[in-house]
Amino acid sequence: MNRLTLRLKSSVRGHVSLRGAVPDRWLELTRAEMAAWPIEVDRRPATIEQVFDVSDGSRSQWRLQGDLKQCEFVGAGMRSGDIVVEASVGDYLASGMRGGSVVVQGDAGAYAASSLRGGKVIIEGNVGPYAAAAAPNQSRGMADGELIIHGNADQWLASRMRRGLVVVHGDVASGCATRMIAGTLAICGRVAMPIGSGMARGTLLLLDPQESYLNEGLLGFTPPSPCQLSFLPLLLQQMAPYLPASLANEIGNSRWHRCLGDRAELGLGEVLLRQAIEHPQSARLNPS
Amino acid sequence: MQINGIDIEDTFAEAFPMTATRLIITAADRFWALRAAESMTGFATSVIGCGCEAGVEREVSPERTPDGRPGIAVLLFSVSGKELEKQVVRRVGQCVLTCPSTSVFAGMEGEKKVALGSHLRYFGDGFQISKMVAGKRYWRIPVMDGEFVAEESTSRTSAIGGGNFLVLSESLDGALKSCEAAMDAMRQIPNVIMPFPGGVARSGSKVGSKYKALHASTNDAFCPTLRNVTKTLLPPGVGAALEVVIDGLNEADIARAMRVGILAACEIGGRYGLRGITGGNYGGKLGQFHFHLHEILK
């Protein structure tokens, strides 16, 4: 069955909030009930049919089209189903989502996957500040699930993150992993300081760190020391499908350096700095 | 019934219910994985005195282990979930955690859980790290060679202990040769272990004893030196009897192991004085599982 398609009407102006409009709540709805589903435009009541052109299809599989930068809370609170967004999208993408998957074929605004509880979010472009962080009025950030960002990430990525996996293919702005509680954050590109301020636990993998980080260390963290961690193969196997292909192939042949911090707050978060081996002897990662 | 001229007695071997778990021990290479597995399955021949029965089930290739390193699968059997958990934590803590480069993972899935890393983590003294990967929790415990990784828990399943057959031979040498052939064949069978040294017990026991404190005592009916002073079950000419004991995850696996073991023993036994095969039959007093030799060998 085709995907249910929602195309934002070009005449609509203002912020559209799709809070509560998710596939798992539409499974049993008739077409008329879908059309009358309440949403908000600039905090004023509206219905789906006033804002979107709806093409009927599978209730559990949605496609969103149009200029969606003004569209907020796409997939927020979703428990199952999947959404493909064929454009850039606004703030609060998949905020508090508990299951299912969301794929954005463009950029996402602030608070993407904030307080995520489960499921998978893939953003093929860049993402705004506070991705995987705590949503407003929440004390904790992402608590489970997976967030994959193919582009760059803005400030405060994964701050107060509690659990789950975040992979960023591009660069990351300052403040990532601030007050991180647990979970895994892997960054394939460059990262701006400060990193991991107030980090309590959790794992931050810098897969292409600046040379200065390897030589001089990270502020608030123990000096980088070479390590061989039995757990790394398990972790890298989990991440391998989400990494750029070139990196996934060579990551098994790497040296790793480990820092612990933020020691200013007696934290035991770990930052693993990858150093590529120029002439690898053998590959050990993911033999399957 | 005869196989290659060897008498197969029309009797059954008794076995009893147990609970079992499987662990996968990995290490930097096969040598260390095997050392850890051998150590943790040592002194685990009989629940009567060891708390559990354990053994190496098979080697696991790196492609099939969770961390891509060489692995060994071990099976542990005990009489209750509580005792099994006690033995798992104690043995992994003393024999696997201590062995260089090792990690330990659950080897079976199920609803009944047995603590593993969730108990061992306290060795980390607060420096231990918990990580969730693909829905499973692992504990990383800092140790002197890096870190010891243990999965949060393993699972247990109902199982059977005490499957057996007895090899009756003219001489000890002949009995040993027959048992060695049987063991070579039985080690290829999955889901079973033979917990005694080399898979064979020479001190087969009967239920009960003249001494009130003992639950089991020497099986005098099969002791050749007591042939003339007790009600012997040894056929004339038999000078040595050895018992092959099998624990398995289900009846079919034990029956299969018994079958290949008996056939292998009979294949070469005639050359070494093997006279007969019988089963450890205790008149139904030992256990609810009865493995009839003639049915198994049909």
Side-chain angles (χ1 to χ4, degrees), chain A residues 131-132 142 145 147-149 153-154 156-161 163-173 175-178 180 182-188 191 195-196 199 201-207 235 238-239 243 256 270-273, chain B residues 131:
Chain A
M142 179 171 160
L147 170 63
I148 316 300
I149 301 163
D154 208 339
W156 314 116
L157 172 72
S159 63
R160 296 179 189 270
M161 180 177 171
R163 195 181 292 150
L165 173 68
V166 177
V167 177
V168 185
H169 289 194
D171 300 336
V172 173
C176 75
T178 295
M180 186 171 176
T184 304
L185 168 58
I187 299 171
C188 305
V191 193
I195 298 168
M199 190 173 175
R201 292 272 182 162
T203 305
L204 171 54
L205 293 107
L206 303 185
L207 303 178
L235 193 61
Q238 183 202 21
M239 292 189 335
L243 295 175
W256 295 88
E270 63 178 347
V271 178
L272 300 174
L273 303 154
Chain B
K131 294 296 285 186

Side-chain angles (χ1 to χ4, degrees), chain B residues 78-186:
Chain B
S78 194
V79 290
S80 68
K82 192 176 176 182
E83 180 63 26
L84 184 67
E85 184 169 281
K86 191 169 97 180
Q87 291 292 330
V88 165
V89 171
R90 184 176 290 175
R91 287 167 182 272
V92 173
Q94 296 302 315
C95 306
V96 184
L97 168 63
T98 55
C99 182
S101 80
T102 56
S103 299
V104 64
F105 304 96
M108 62 171 62
E109 309 246 329
E111 288 182 5
K112 296 176 184 170
K113 296 294 181 189
V114 175
L116 193 58
S118 61
H119 281 21
L120 297 166
R121 65 182 163 131
Y122 296 107
F123 183 72
D125 199 25
F127 296 103
Q128 68 272 26
I129 297 171
S130 153
K131 294 296 285 186
M132 293 283 288
V133 174
K136 293 180 179 175
R137 183 184 295 281
Y138 299 92
W139 287 97
R140 302 166 55 192
I141 301 167
V143 285
M144 288 160 57
D145 73 348
E147 63 181 3
F148 172 67
V149 177
E151 195 166 333
E152 163 100 340
S153 61
T154 181
S155 299
R156 66 180 172 92
T157 183
S158 54
I160 300 166
N164 66 78
F165 62 87
L166 278 78
V167 169
L168 311 176
S169 186
E170 290 173 6
S171 66
L172 177 59
D173 281 351
L176 288 173
K177 285 278 190 300
S178 300
C179 287
E180 287 164 14
M183 292 308 302
D184 284 345
M186 294 166 73

Side-chain angles (χ1 to χ4, degrees), chain A residues 233 236-238 240-241 248 252 283-288, chain B residues 62-63 67-68:
Chain A
L236 297 179
Q237 278 181 42
Q238 183 202 21
R284 297 198 62 161
L285 171 67
N286 203 6
S288 59
Chain B
E63 292 78 15
D67 61 0

Side-chain angles (χ1 to χ4, degrees), chain B residues 6 164-187 194 196-203 240-246 257-258 260-270 272-278:
Chain B
I6 313 295
N164 66 78
F165 62 87
L166 278 78
V167 169
L168 311 176
S169 186
E170 290 173 6
S171 66
L172 177 59
D173 281 351
L176 288 173
K177 285 278 190 300
S178 300
C179 287
E180 287 164 14
M183 292 308 302
D184 284 345
M186 294 166 73
R187 286 198 190 99
M194 283 62 74
F196 282 93
V200 185
R202 63 107 173 256
S203 58
L242 293 175
E243 182 175 359
V244 175
V245 179
I246 307 133
M258 287 175 65
V260 301
I262 293 170
L263 291 176
C266 291
E267 189 176 331
I268 64 126
Y272 298 101
L274 179 63
R275 289 290 192 88
I277 300 287
T278 187

Side-chain angles (χ1 to χ4, degrees), chain A:
Chain A
M1 196 173 185
N2 289 338
R3 286 178 175 273
L4 184 147
T5 303
L6 299 172
R7 169 173 279 280
L8 187 67
K9 292 178 177 175
S10 55
S11 57
V12 174
R13 296 285 178 267
H15 290 282
V16 176
S17 170
L18 276 176
R19 194 196 292 265
V22 285
D24 54 277
R25 297 184 67 179
W26 280 26
L27 291 176
E28 306 294 329
L29 296 190
T30 63
R31 182 159 185 162
E33 288 169 330
M34 286 191 305
W37 188 269
I39 57 172
E40 291 180 359
V41 178
D42 277 343
R43 297 193 176 186
R44 290 178 183 161
T47 61
I48 284 287
E49 70 176 347
Q50 290 171 336
V51 179
F52 290 93
D53 294 320
V54 182
S55 302
D56 206 357
S58 167
R59 301 289 190 273
S60 62
Q61 295 180 308
W62 292 14
R63 176 190 291 125
L64 269 61
Q65 297 173 328
D67 183 5
L68 297 164
K69 284 180 184 165
Q70 56 189 325
C71 212
E72 299 173 344
F73 293 102
V74 171
M78 184 167 86
R79 290 176 182 270
S80 65
D82 77 90
I83 300 175
V84 174
V85 183
E86 295 179 346
S88 292
V89 72
D91 298 343
Y92 301 105
L93 171 78
S95 181
M97 185 173 114
R98 290 176 182 272
S101 75
V102 174
V103 177
V104 177
Q105 296 170 348
D107 300 335
Y111 291 103
S114 56
S115 297
L116 187 74
R117 296 286 182 272
K120 186 186 293 185
V121 180
I122 299 173
I123 298 165
E124 296 181 357
N126 302 322
V127 69
Y130 295 104
N137 302 321
Q138 296 284 323
S139 61
R140 290 184 172 180
M142 179 171 160
D144 209 346
E146 293 164 349
L147 170 63
I148 316 300
I149 301 163
H150 291 184
N152 303 324
D154 208 339
Q155 289 184 310
W156 314 116
L157 172 72
S159 63
R160 296 179 189 270
M161 180 177 171
R162 176 70 182 82
R163 195 181 292 150
L165 173 68
V166 177
V167 177
V168 185
H169 289 194
D171 300 336
V172 173
S174 60
C176 75
T178 295
R179 298 206 171 277
M180 186 171 176
I181 302 162
T184 304
L185 168 58
I187 299 171
C188 305
R190 297 301 167 108
V191 193
M193 288 284 226
I195 298 168
S197 301
M199 190 173 175
R201 292 272 182 162
T203 305
L204 171 54
L205 293 107
L206 303 185
L207 303 178
D208 184 21
Q210 287 92 319
E211 200 67 26
S212 61
Y213 293 178
L214 279 165
N215 296 333
E216 299 160 24
L218 304 169
L219 191 64
F221 284 75
T222 58
S225 56
C227 65
Q228 278 189 304
L229 300 173
S230 304
F231 188 72
L232 259 180
L234 273 173
L235 193 61
L236 297 179
Q237 278 181 42
Q238 183 202 21
M239 292 189 335
Y242 303 126
L243 295 175
S246 57
L247 188 57
N249 289 336
E250 69 177 37
I251 198 167
N253 296 306
S254 306
R255 288 198 185 91
W256 295 88
H257 300 259
R258 188 175 189 239
C259 317
L260 289 178
D262 179 353
R263 297 307 295 158
E265 299 193 15
L266 301 180
L268 286 172
E270 63 178 347
V271 178
L272 300 174
L273 303 154
R274 175 178 166 268
Q275 190 176 28
I277 298 174
E278 289 181 9
H279 303 291
Q281 297 296 312
S282 64
R284 297 198 62 161
L285 171 67
N286 203 6
S288 59

